[in-house]
mmCIF file of all heavy atoms in Angstrom:
data_model
loop_
_atom_site.group_PDB
_atom_site.id
_atom_site.type_symbol
_atom_site.label_atom_id
_atom_site.label_comp_id
_atom_site.label_asym_id
_atom_site.label_seq_id
_atom_site.Cartn_x
_atom_site.Cartn_y
_atom_site.Cartn_z
ATOM 1 N N LEU I 61 99.840 98.649 120.469
ATOM 2 C CA LEU I 61 99.998 99.351 119.229
ATOM 3 C C LEU I 61 101.317 100.193 119.159
ATOM 4 O O LEU I 61 102.047 100.131 118.166
ATOM 5 C CB LEU I 61 98.766 100.277 118.992
ATOM 6 C CG LEU I 61 98.637 100.958 117.703
ATOM 7 C CD1 LEU I 61 98.596 99.922 116.580
ATOM 8 C CD2 LEU I 61 97.353 101.835 117.646
ATOM 9 N N SER I 62 101.618 100.983 120.166
ATOM 10 C CA SER I 62 102.809 101.773 120.159
ATOM 11 C C SER I 62 104.090 100.902 120.027
ATOM 12 O O SER I 62 104.934 101.186 119.196
ATOM 13 C CB SER I 62 102.901 102.574 121.425
ATOM 14 O OG SER I 62 104.028 103.397 121.421
ATOM 15 N N GLU I 63 104.125 99.823 120.789
ATOM 16 C CA GLU I 63 105.321 98.887 120.698
ATOM 17 C C GLU I 63 105.402 98.304 119.320
ATOM 18 O O GLU I 63 106.582 98.237 118.746
ATOM 19 C CB GLU I 63 105.182 97.798 121.733
ATOM 20 C CG GLU I 63 106.244 96.729 121.621
ATOM 21 C CD GLU I 63 105.871 95.414 122.396
ATOM 22 O OE1 GLU I 63 105.011 95.495 123.353
ATOM 23 O OE2 GLU I 63 106.491 94.432 122.106
ATOM 24 N N TYR I 64 104.306 97.888 118.709
ATOM 25 C CA TYR I 64 104.346 97.236 117.408
ATOM 26 C C TYR I 64 104.710 98.235 116.335
ATOM 27 O O TYR I 64 105.359 97.917 115.337
ATOM 28 C CB TYR I 64 103.011 96.501 117.132
ATOM 29 C CG TYR I 64 102.840 95.312 117.988
ATOM 30 C CD1 TYR I 64 101.627 94.616 117.962
ATOM 31 C CD2 TYR I 64 103.840 94.757 118.773
ATOM 32 C CE1 TYR I 64 101.393 93.455 118.720
ATOM 33 C CE2 TYR I 64 103.611 93.633 119.564
ATOM 34 C CZ TYR I 64 102.392 93.002 119.519
ATOM 35 O OH TYR I 64 102.205 91.870 120.262
ATOM 36 N N HIS I 65 104.214 99.515 116.468
ATOM 37 C CA HIS I 65 104.610 100.476 115.481
ATOM 38 C C HIS I 65 106.163 100.719 115.526
ATOM 39 O O HIS I 65 106.791 100.876 114.519
ATOM 40 C CB HIS I 65 103.933 101.850 115.702
ATOM 41 C CG HIS I 65 102.546 101.933 115.022
ATOM 42 N ND1 HIS I 65 102.418 101.733 113.688
ATOM 43 C CD2 HIS I 65 101.313 102.224 115.478
ATOM 44 C CE1 HIS I 65 101.156 101.888 113.322
ATOM 45 N NE2 HIS I 65 100.472 102.165 114.452
ATOM 46 N N GLN I 66 106.658 100.754 116.767
ATOM 47 C CA GLN I 66 108.114 100.928 116.895
ATOM 48 C C GLN I 66 108.899 99.734 116.284
ATOM 49 O O GLN I 66 109.883 99.923 115.631
ATOM 50 C CB GLN I 66 108.484 101.110 118.362
ATOM 51 C CG GLN I 66 109.928 101.504 118.605
ATOM 52 C CD GLN I 66 110.278 102.830 117.907
ATOM 53 O OE1 GLN I 66 109.610 103.823 118.039
ATOM 54 N NE2 GLN I 66 111.350 102.786 117.090
ATOM 55 N N ARG I 67 108.412 98.527 116.567
ATOM 56 C CA ARG I 67 109.052 97.317 115.980
ATOM 57 C C ARG I 67 109.034 97.396 114.453
ATOM 58 O O ARG I 67 110.011 97.022 113.795
ATOM 59 C CB ARG I 67 108.356 96.030 116.453
ATOM 60 C CG ARG I 67 108.693 95.586 117.785
ATOM 61 C CD ARG I 67 108.091 94.213 117.933
ATOM 62 N NE ARG I 67 108.149 93.706 119.246
ATOM 63 C CZ ARG I 67 107.722 92.518 119.589
ATOM 64 N NH1 ARG I 67 107.215 91.677 118.690
ATOM 65 N NH2 ARG I 67 107.781 92.128 120.843
ATOM 66 N N ASN I 68 107.880 97.809 113.904
ATOM 67 C CA ASN I 68 107.801 97.881 112.466
ATOM 68 C C ASN I 68 108.725 98.893 111.917
ATOM 69 O O ASN I 68 109.471 98.641 110.912
ATOM 70 C CB ASN I 68 106.351 98.202 112.086
ATOM 71 C CG ASN I 68 106.057 97.974 110.583
ATOM 72 O OD1 ASN I 68 106.109 96.882 110.156
ATOM 73 N ND2 ASN I 68 105.774 99.029 109.883
ATOM 74 N N LEU I 69 108.857 100.071 112.496
ATOM 75 C CA LEU I 69 109.766 101.097 112.047
ATOM 76 C C LEU I 69 111.213 100.599 112.164
ATOM 77 O O LEU I 69 111.969 100.812 111.221
ATOM 78 C CB LEU I 69 109.561 102.387 112.895
ATOM 79 C CG LEU I 69 110.611 103.548 112.600
ATOM 80 C CD1 LEU I 69 110.508 103.927 111.170
ATOM 81 C CD2 LEU I 69 110.319 104.681 113.511
ATOM 82 N N THR I 70 111.550 99.940 113.255
ATOM 83 C CA THR I 70 112.928 99.402 113.396
ATOM 84 C C THR I 70 113.241 98.370 112.272
ATOM 85 O O THR I 70 114.320 98.428 111.740
ATOM 86 C CB THR I 70 113.074 98.784 114.826
ATOM 87 O OG1 THR I 70 112.791 99.763 115.774
ATOM 88 C CG2 THR I 70 114.401 98.177 115.036
ATOM 89 N N ALA I 71 112.302 97.514 111.988
ATOM 90 C CA ALA I 71 112.537 96.534 110.901
ATOM 91 C C ALA I 71 112.717 97.244 109.581
ATOM 92 O O ALA I 71 113.576 96.809 108.769
ATOM 93 C CB ALA I 71 111.371 95.487 110.934
ATOM 94 N N PHE I 72 111.910 98.194 109.363
ATOM 95 C CA PHE I 72 111.932 99.000 108.109
ATOM 96 C C PHE I 72 113.363 99.664 107.954
ATOM 97 O O PHE I 72 114.015 99.580 106.926
ATOM 98 C CB PHE I 72 110.840 100.071 108.111
ATOM 99 C CG PHE I 72 110.749 100.905 106.896
ATOM 100 C CD1 PHE I 72 109.964 100.518 105.803
ATOM 101 C CD2 PHE I 72 111.376 102.117 106.790
ATOM 102 C CE1 PHE I 72 109.803 101.293 104.705
ATOM 103 C CE2 PHE I 72 111.198 102.983 105.699
ATOM 104 C CZ PHE I 72 110.472 102.502 104.630
ATOM 105 N N ILE I 73 113.800 100.313 109.053
ATOM 106 C CA ILE I 73 115.120 100.929 109.061
ATOM 107 C C ILE I 73 116.234 99.953 108.842
ATOM 108 O O ILE I 73 117.177 100.180 108.075
ATOM 109 C CB ILE I 73 115.297 101.748 110.384
ATOM 110 C CG1 ILE I 73 114.396 102.912 110.366
ATOM 111 C CG2 ILE I 73 116.759 102.200 110.526
ATOM 112 C CD1 ILE I 73 114.355 103.667 111.689
ATOM 113 N N GLN I 74 116.116 98.735 109.444
ATOM 114 C CA GLN I 74 117.168 97.723 109.245
ATOM 115 C C GLN I 74 117.249 97.279 107.792
ATOM 116 O O GLN I 74 118.313 97.098 107.282
ATOM 117 C CB GLN I 74 116.837 96.480 110.191
ATOM 118 C CG GLN I 74 117.120 96.782 111.617
ATOM 119 C CD GLN I 74 116.643 95.637 112.526
ATOM 120 O OE1 GLN I 74 115.768 94.862 112.179
ATOM 121 N NE2 GLN I 74 117.263 95.606 113.720
ATOM 122 N N ALA I 75 116.098 97.226 107.119
ATOM 123 C CA ALA I 75 116.106 96.864 105.676
ATOM 124 C C ALA I 75 116.735 98.004 104.887
ATOM 125 O O ALA I 75 117.487 97.693 103.916
ATOM 126 C CB ALA I 75 114.666 96.646 105.197
#
Side-chain angles (χ1 to χ4, degrees):
L61 190 58
S62 179
E63 174 193 340
Y64 290 171
H65 272 306
Q66 190 57 53
R67 280 192 192 182
N68 194 63
L69 175 60
T70 300
F72 183 88
I73 291 170
Q74 286 172 338

